[in-house]
Amino acid sequence: MSTAMAGTPGAADFTSALFLGQRHPSAVVPPWTELTTGVPAVLRELPAATELAWAVAAQQHAGSGLVARSALHGMMDILQVLPQPGDLLLVDAGAYPLTQWACRAAAARGVRVVTFPHFRPPAVVPQTRTWLVTDGWCQGCGRSAPLGAMQTLVGKTGGRVVVDDSLAFGVLGQRAAEASFGDGSGAVRWQGLKHDGVVWLGSLAKAYGTPVTVITGDRPTITRLARHGGNRLHSSPPSAADLGAGLSAVRDSRMPRLRDRLWRLTRWLRQAFGNLGLPPLGLPFPIVGTRLDSLQLARRWRSMLVARGVQVLVQLPRCQPGALLSAVVRADHPQADLDRLVRGLAALTQDRRAA
């Protein structure tokens, strides 16, 4: 969906999705006595795996949680274990490609898989158990899935909403005030909803900077996944380094301050985009993008910004045509980097108006 220029020393880099600036240098990662257990997770997990899963589940007021090696590992287990032959699996057409792959694997087991238009689920479903799979947040259109309507739709059938919230996790969450991103617990609580009827997963590889995924849901569902998930039986579990870094990040007392700074920088940059005649897409989120007339123009502008020492993204949304020129904001961005980006964009817009 996106491309970025190779790193340039000294450049202002707006291509990294480490939204909260978490990098976990080896000197500060908690030490470990074994990097991995040497056995599948279904047989034995490191204590930090349980601690991390429960920390995330508790923040969401979900029933239970467990860890997975990645979002793909987690989604494959969810869709191989929970939907049964004859069930209906509805998948959002704009869902991340990894999710689409997992849905196709479910179809091979006799699960009926049907795609619906992006964030527009059907008004009614057949009287059969129905599962609905969606991303929590779409960077292509800058909005969150209508999770409340989805919960209502499939809840009557005994199914669940399966949410890949890897983009929003750590950024969006329950809000004490509208003018904030919230507590980082995810898009469900950002919408003011409970996790009832939701099987949720989120990778920590973006906001929290470590490649491990957490799955949450009601206790019977999580127990079933823990016992029967194929990747938990056949794949190596997350390493001690990943778990330790993730647990340190979610427990870090600085996170609220980092999210507050991220909010302020994001709002400032969105306002600057608007002042330049480049309307920012969607709702406030640390990926600040604007639609350009063509892919060629977006690529040309990116190249011209790189020449000015600024790295940005060209994105091709799955959910709509056209190209976006986007800057990914991080909590550790100095204001000088944002100023440098805006000066570069100002020069480009002036050249376009002159032409």
Side-chain angles (χ1 to χ4, degrees), residues 145-347:
L147 297 174
M150 292 174 172
Q151 285 174 299
T152 300
L153 178 68
V154 303
K156 302 173 184 177
T157 73
R160 298 284 189 274
V161 179
V162 180
V163 181
D164 182 347
D165 212 21
S166 296
L167 199 61
F169 180 40
V171 178
L172 302 182
Q174 185 176 37
R175 293 174 285 178
E178 284 291 316
S180 72
F181 282 136
D183 65 3
S185 55
V188 178
R189 287 167 60 81
W190 182 77
Q191 293 188 30
L193 303 171
K194 296 181 179 180
H195 272 250
D196 300 342
V198 172
V199 180
W200 178 97
L201 76 161
S203 170
L204 281 74
K206 295 180 172 62
Y208 291 120
T210 184
V212 63
T213 291
V214 174
I215 304 171
T216 66
D218 61 85
R219 191 180 296 270
T221 296
I222 296 300
T223 298
R224 187 176 173 193
L225 287 171
R227 292 175 178 171
H228 302 291
N231 283 298
R232 290 177 57 80
L233 178 62
H234 301 296
S235 299
S236 296
S239 74
D242 297 330
L243 294 169
L247 195 57
S248 294
V250 300
R251 289 178 170 174
D252 192 332
S253 62
R254 300 174 302 160
M255 289 300 157
R257 295 195 298 275
L258 291 173
R259 274 187 285 270
D260 286 346
R261 176 171 171 78
L262 186 63
W263 169 262
R264 293 194 300 271
L265 293 178
T266 298
R267 290 299 302 268
W268 185 92
L269 188 59
R270 286 175 62 87
Q271 181 66 50
F273 267 55
N275 291 342
L276 293 172
L278 303 171
L281 184 77
L283 299 174
F285 194 77
I287 303 176
V288 180
T290 190
R291 188 171 303 282
L292 296 184
D293 296 337
S294 67
L295 175 59
Q296 291 75 17
L297 178 62
R299 286 174 170 169
R300 185 163 64 250
W301 277 27
R302 181 188 61 185
S303 297
M304 295 171 74
L305 286 170
V306 168
R308 293 174 174 268
V310 178
Q311 297 183 62
V312 295
L313 296 173
V314 171
Q315 296 183 289
L316 301 174
R318 296 181 300 275
C319 58
Q320 53 188 320
L324 305 177
L325 189 76
S326 300
V328 185
V329 183
R330 302 189 316 271
D332 62 342
H333 266 132
Q335 182 64 44
D337 279 3
L338 275 71
D339 293 340
R340 190 174 181 180
L341 168 61
V342 171
R343 287 196 300 270
L345 289 171

Side-chain angles (χ1 to χ4, degrees), residues 55-76:
V56 175
Q59 187 185 32
Q60 298 173 342
H61 299 285
S64 187
L66 77 163
V67 299
R69 193 68 188 88
S70 69
L72 177 59
H73 287 84
M75 187 63 79
M76 289 292 291

Side-chain angles (χ1 to χ4, degrees), residues 46-123:
L46 295 169
T50 302
E51 294 179 53
L52 176 58
W54 277 101
V56 175
Q59 187 185 32
Q60 298 173 342
H61 299 285
S64 187
L66 77 163
V67 299
R69 193 68 188 88
S70 69
L72 177 59
H73 287 84
M75 187 63 79
M76 289 292 291
D77 278 356
I78 289 169
L79 298 185
Q80 289 293 302
V81 171
L82 300 182
Q84 297 300 302
D87 287 357
L88 175 62
L89 179 60
L90 300 175
V91 56
D92 190 298
Y96 200 62
L98 300 184
T99 298
Q100 306 281 0
W101 301 346
C103 289
R104 287 198 288 271
R109 298 174 43 250
V111 177
R112 183 186 173 206
V113 178
V114 176
T115 299
F116 63 89
H118 184 49
F119 286 176
R120 288 187 287 136

